Amino acid sequence: MHRQVLGLWKAGSIVAAAAGLLVLQPAAASPRLISLAFNSQLGSPQQLGADEFRQKLVASVGKRIVIDERATNALGSENAILAATRAGSVDMAVLSGSVVSSVVPELGVFDIPFLFRDTAHAKAVAQGPAGAAIATKFADKGLTLLAIGRQGFRNVTNSKRPVRTPEDIRGLKIRVIPNEIYQMTFKALGAEVVPMEFPLVYTALKDGRLDGQENPVPTIAGSRLYEVQKYLTLTGHFFAPIAFVANRAMFEQLPPADQAMLIALAKEGAEVTWQAKLDAASLEQVRSGGMDVIETFDRQPFVDAVKPLDQEFEKRFGKDLLAAIRSTR
């Protein structure tokens, strides 16, 4: 399946490349390449969103533009791709929101544990006034936010024991994204927190440097973490958005009509991620791989364990914003 998806990805890139080399400029202008990068498993929400964006863009502009896509580890970690996008060596990227929030702290409101009731709640916030306000914070970071999509709710895995209470997490060496809120949260749950870039995680789990990690179920399945982890608990502790971003200088060089088109097409790409149904098949895959999946447990003790962090979150993001998010329907 992986080879099949990879083949489709390469085929899509060839089709895009065949569309031509002229950028959003008059036909006589010199050719220019527009790059689009992401680092995640093929078949992930990032790829689904990037594919939709690319296909719609090629259909819209015909021979005026080509998208040069770079997937998985071709350009390094997500932090490396983010840095390259800010610097202008990558034009556009589809990245985990929790990585982008290290540069745009306001996006970190999505990282708050147990803030979102479900996917519909997160989508309403992302596409509402809060999302619009967050988008304005990207400009002075060298970025333009085109759209917010969905990676999914994140869940805990480990190789030591079933996790049903916060006490079961206590003392486990848990890898998290190098993200301050993620680290605060798992410290509050009693874990020994190990920030680490994702490409290093499988090996660290295999050789015992890590006991566990946390990710959406499709990422756990796509990365075959069931080969090095025994237990998965569907904690749903963080909601993970996806940020469709562009280098600001590149974006602002485009005519207003083309800027509006990129935003509209990125939103279409994001919508595919909001609609994707990946969890059921991924759960079946990890179970077939030998994982014990803990679905039934009392989530409230986990919520209570991170409650002391509320004051810090209110200080960072504002009590009114958090109240508005919680009341969004």
Side-chain angles (χ1 to χ4, degrees):
M1 179 63 182
H2 176 80
R3 291 179 179 173
Q4 182 182 10
V5 174
L6 180 58
L8 292 173
W9 177 263
K10 289 180 177 177
S13 296
I14 292 169
V15 170
L21 289 174
L22 297 181
V23 185
L24 305 172
Q25 299 174 15
S30 298
R32 176 183 167 186
L33 199 62
I34 298 291
S35 55
L36 173 65
F38 68 87
N39 182 330
S40 67
Q41 304 75 30
L42 297 175
S44 68
Q46 282 95 322
Q47 187 205 344
L48 296 178
D51 270 355
E52 182 74 9
F53 175 83
R54 169 179 53 81
Q55 291 164 7
K56 291 292 180 67
L57 184 60
V58 170
S60 297
V61 302
K63 295 183 178 181
R64 291 197 298 141
I65 188 171
V66 61
I67 296 291
D68 174 27
E69 296 143 321
R70 301 298 175 92
T72 62
N73 293 323
L75 295 177
S77 69
E78 288 200 296
N79 279 308
I81 293 173
L82 176 60
T85 307
R86 295 181 70 195
S89 51
V90 168
D91 295 316
M92 292 182 284
V94 184
L95 298 167
S96 299
S98 50
V99 169
V100 179
S101 65
S102 66
V103 170
V104 186
E106 292 81 2
L107 187 64
V109 74
F110 282 95
D111 297 331
I112 294 177
F114 304 108
L115 179 60
F116 296 97
R117 296 182 300 274
D118 51 30
T119 297
H121 180 205
K123 183 180 182 182
V125 172
Q127 297 183 350
I134 289 169
T136 66
K137 306 299 182 180
F138 279 67
D140 65 356
K141 309 299 183 181
L143 298 167
T144 297
L145 179 65
L146 303 175
I148 296 176
R150 174 184 73 97
Q151 187 177 24
F153 282 93
R154 300 177 74 94
N155 308 283
V156 175
T157 72
N158 84 99
S159 60
K160 298 296 185 183
R161 53 184 175 263
V163 168
R164 293 187 174 87
T165 70
E167 287 70 29
D168 296 324
I169 291 181
R170 190 168 303 280
L172 293 178
K173 292 178 288 186
I174 301 291
R175 175 268 177 179
V176 299
I177 288 174
N179 171 297
E180 190 175 6
I181 292 178
Y182 278 40
Q183 293 177 56
M184 292 165 52
T185 298
F186 273 85
K187 285 178 181 176
L189 291 170
E192 181 180 336
V193 175
V194 184
M196 184 181 292
E197 296 284 8
F198 188 69
L200 305 174
V201 170
Y202 183 98
T203 301
L205 291 168
K206 185 176 182 178
D207 66 23
R209 284 177 291 146
L210 294 173
D211 298 321
Q213 60 85 58
E214 52 81 48
N215 256 303
V217 176
T219 301
I220 295 166
S223 300
R224 302 177 67 88
L225 296 186
Y226 49 81
E227 296 175 343
V228 290
Q229 298 277 267
K230 177 62 177 174
Y231 305 102
L232 163 62
T233 303
L234 300 182
T235 46
H237 48 274
F238 298 131
F239 172 77
I242 295 172
F244 291 68
V245 297
N247 173 267
R248 178 187 174 188
M250 181 280 297
F251 183 80
E252 292 183 348
Q253 288 172 2
L254 301 176
D258 287 334
Q259 293 179 8
M261 179 187 66
L262 287 185
I263 291 173
L265 296 181
K267 288 181 177 178
E268 291 190 34
E271 183 62 23
V272 169
T273 71
W274 287 109
Q275 298 300 327
K277 308 294 185 185
L278 301 176
D279 281 9
S282 297
L283 280 173
E284 182 179 347
Q285 182 179 345
V286 301
R287 284 192 173 103
S288 297
M291 261 188 155
D292 291 342
V293 180
I294 296 95
E295 298 186 66
T296 304
F297 62 96
D298 187 358
R299 187 173 275 99
Q300 191 59 45
F302 291 87
V303 177
D304 294 341
V306 300
K307 190 73 173 172
L309 299 177
D310 281 357
Q311 200 168 24
E312 174 63 24
F313 298 146
E314 290 174 0
K315 179 180 176 182
R316 291 186 180 211
F317 302 109
K319 185 179 292 188
D320 290 344
L321 174 60
L322 298 186
I325 288 174
R326 290 188 175 104
S327 64
T328 297
R329 294 288 183 257

